[in-house]
Amino acid sequence: MKRRHPIFLSIACAVLWSAIYCQISMAVNDRPVGSKLSVEEVLGVEEDQPFARAMQPRKFVFPDDHGPHPHFKTEWWYYTGNLFSKSDRRFGYQLTFFRSALTPEAQQRNSNWATNQIYMAHFALTDVDAERFYHFERFSRDSLGLAGAKANPFKVWLENWSAEGRQGEPLTMRLSANEESVAIELNLESAKPIVLQGENGLSQKSAKPGNASYYYSMTRMPTSGIISISGESFQVSGTSWLDREWSTSALGEGQVGWDWFSLQFDDGRELMYYQLRLKDGTADPLSRGVLVDVDGSTKQLRPSDIVIKVLNHWQSSKSKAKYPAKWRLDVVNEGINLEISPVLAEQELITTVRYWEGAVSVQGKDGANKLTGFGYVELTGY
């Protein structure tokens, strides 16, 4: 059962909401209890707030950059993966930690509870054979050890959900989470170098200066461990993906959300592409991606390189939102033609910010050669 802390429960609702990507405490004013926030509402910050901003490329240093960047408004550690048991039962998982700063600088206060950093985490598991999707959400504050992040040795946690590394091994991580009848204990290695997204790690999300993030990925992480569901345990292995971003503002005027694809091909390559969507349904010219070769070398992808066609839709019976549910994705100059299909239509997270995030299968061709694989897709703003 999820542990709750009496003092934490007494925090004002606005503070709780502000655990999400950025300034949610402002976005919920006069909002009915139980209503959901849109990504468009929460991914903006007032101009006069003196948080640090992603303005130009920087030098990344590891393991330091695995840890927190508290002068930026928000950041996340985003793990997803496709895993298989010895009997070939398939699972997808997501474990994500979000940090949100309430103020640009911590204020000195005579209280062990004092902090200007709030954490939120999402844990989701897709049991493909059983056609079941589980998802959970937690909040806590960066004080008294309830939640936090550090760089060396790496660790980010919220209560007993955690991702942590070993001293001197910044590319090796262990994930742990359990809620109700569902749990994961996973060990992640890294088979490839870290990929800096965008311009040497600066990922520009809109034309306005500062609407950007610092963004890197670990695109192929061999994974093994245990998944438990209702008392039954499965020894699993497969591949995970880590996305890391920190920023102060991202979406610009006219942008409503994104479709994010992270695909791992059986030939040893990976593809990431996010299509930023405008209010009129078209793709923003600043949509970007990367194709990672077997040796870890990369090729940047721009909208002129990618053609995405939605082949099917699924409507949630819970939120009534209508999501894309199957895609044709072509990498034009590479001769790559893919069909991407969710392993389960119902992989919607009904959390403070509602979105669809789920495991997918990939079938297609690279020229005359067959191309298959697995991945994850995230859909926001629907």
Side-chain angles (χ1 to χ4, degrees), residues 117-193:
Q117 305 290 333
I118 301 293
Y119 281 76
M120 180 184 76
H122 289 170
F123 169 37
L125 183 72
T126 304
D127 184 347
V128 180
D129 290 5
E131 298 185 339
R132 290 290 306 274
F133 179 66
Y134 308 85
H135 69 280
F136 311 97
E137 180 177 57
R138 285 189 182 186
F139 297 91
S140 199
R141 49 170 51 201
D142 183 9
S143 60
L144 294 178
L146 299 176
K150 61 181 182 178
N152 196 13
F154 163 68
K155 185 176 182 180
V156 58
W157 73 96
L158 198 164
E159 298 175 341
N160 64 340
W161 296 2
S162 65
E164 55 186 311
R166 294 195 291 265
Q167 187 80 38
E169 298 183 49
L171 302 186
T172 299
M173 301 179 185
R174 180 175 179 83
L175 308 185
S176 180
N178 66 80
E179 192 74 17
E180 298 178 0
S181 62
V182 180
I184 59 171
E185 293 287 342
L186 302 174
N187 296 298
L188 283 60
E189 307 290 334
S190 184
K192 288 191 176 181

Side-chain angles (χ1 to χ4, degrees), residues 213-258:
S213 66
Y214 291 117
Y215 181 6
Y216 70 85
S217 303
M218 297 172 69
T219 62
R220 187 168 292 264
M221 304 187 76
T223 301
S224 62
I226 300 291
I227 288 176
S228 301
I229 303 175
S230 300
E232 185 176 7
S233 294
F234 303 89
Q235 187 81 38
V236 295
S237 61
T239 310
S240 296
W241 181 297
L242 167 64
D243 255 24
R244 281 280 288 119
E245 293 193 63
W246 58 95
S247 66
T248 285
S249 62
L251 294 186
E253 186 176 356
Q255 295 174 326
V256 296
W258 60 81

Side-chain angles (χ1 to χ4, degrees), residues 220 263-269 362-363 370-374:
R220 187 168 292 264
L263 309 177
Q264 296 165 319
F265 303 126
D266 292 336
D267 68 0
R269 293 181 294 170
V362 180
Q363 301 285 335
K370 184 178 180 181
L371 188 61
T372 59
F374 309 103

Side-chain angles (χ1 to χ4, degrees), residues 18-307:
S18 60
I20 305 172
Y21 310 107
C22 44
Q23 183 120 11
I24 293 174
S25 59
M26 296 180 64
V28 298
N29 289 339
D30 302 320
R31 181 174 295 274
V33 173
S35 63
K36 303 299 178 185
L37 294 171
S38 71
V39 171
E40 183 184 7
E41 287 177 293
V42 303
L43 281 179
V45 176
E46 294 296 322
E47 291 295 319
D48 61 351
Q49 290 188 306
F51 290 98
R53 291 179 182 267
M55 301 295 292
Q56 58 190 10
R58 65 188 292 277
K59 182 180 180 181
F60 286 75
V61 178
F62 298 101
D64 293 2
D65 280 323
H66 288 326
H69 302 81
H71 298 298
F72 289 81
K73 178 64 183 174
T74 189
E75 71 182 306
W76 52 77
W77 296 256
Y78 221 111
Y79 297 89
T80 55
N82 286 270
L83 306 174
F84 298 83
S85 72
K86 292 182 178 180
S87 62
D88 213 31
R89 184 164 173 170
R90 183 176 176 181
F91 302 92
Y93 83 90
Q94 172 198 348
L95 182 61
T96 311
F97 298 90
F98 304 90
R99 179 199 59 78
S100 182
L102 304 179
T103 59
E105 300 289 342
Q107 298 179 359
Q108 295 298 318
R109 295 168 56 193
N110 294 323
S111 170
N112 291 333
W113 290 90
T115 182
N116 69 327
Q117 305 290 333
I118 301 293
Y119 281 76
M120 180 184 76
H122 289 170
F123 169 37
L125 183 72
T126 304
D127 184 347
V128 180
D129 290 5
E131 298 185 339
R132 290 290 306 274
F133 179 66
Y134 308 85
H135 69 280
F136 311 97
E137 180 177 57
R138 285 189 182 186
F139 297 91
S140 199
R141 49 170 51 201
D142 183 9
S143 60
L144 294 178
L146 299 176
K150 61 181 182 178
N152 196 13
F154 163 68
K155 185 176 182 180
V156 58
W157 73 96
L158 198 164
E159 298 175 341
N160 64 340
W161 296 2
S162 65
E164 55 186 311
R166 294 195 291 265
Q167 187 80 38
E169 298 183 49
L171 302 186
T172 299
M173 301 179 185
R174 180 175 179 83
L175 308 185
S176 180
N178 66 80
E179 192 74 17
E180 298 178 0
S181 62
V182 180
I184 59 171
E185 293 287 342
L186 302 174
N187 296 298
L188 283 60
E189 307 290 334
S190 184
K192 288 191 176 181
I194 289 172
V195 173
L196 300 182
Q197 304 286 6
E199 182 186 355
N200 296 318
L202 177 69
S203 178
Q204 192 71 37
K205 299 302 199 297
S206 78
K208 189 173 184 179
N211 277 0
S213 66
Y214 291 117
Y215 181 6
Y216 70 85
S217 303
M218 297 172 69
T219 62
R220 187 168 292 264
M221 304 187 76
T223 301
S224 62
I226 300 291
I227 288 176
S228 301
I229 303 175
S230 300
E232 185 176 7
S233 294
F234 303 89
Q235 187 81 38
V236 295
S237 61
T239 310
S240 296
W241 181 297
L242 167 64
D243 255 24
R244 281 280 288 119
E245 293 193 63
W246 58 95
S247 66
T248 285
S249 62
L251 294 186
E253 186 176 356
Q255 295 174 326
V256 296
W258 60 81
D259 303 346
W260 174 81
F261 301 84
S262 65
L263 309 177
Q264 296 165 319
F265 303 126
D266 292 336
D267 68 0
R269 293 181 294 170
E270 298 86 45
L271 183 149
M272 185 283 294
Y273 191 76
Y274 59 81
Q275 180 169 267
L276 297 164
R277 296 193 325 280
L278 301 174
K279 288 182 179 179
D280 62 5
T282 60
D284 191 286
L286 283 169
S287 302
R288 290 291 185 270
V290 67
L291 183 63
V292 185
D293 212 336
V294 177
D295 63 1
S297 60
T298 61
K299 179 180 180 179
Q300 297 298 311
L301 300 174
R302 298 176 179 272
S304 59
D305 301 316
I306 299 289
V307 176

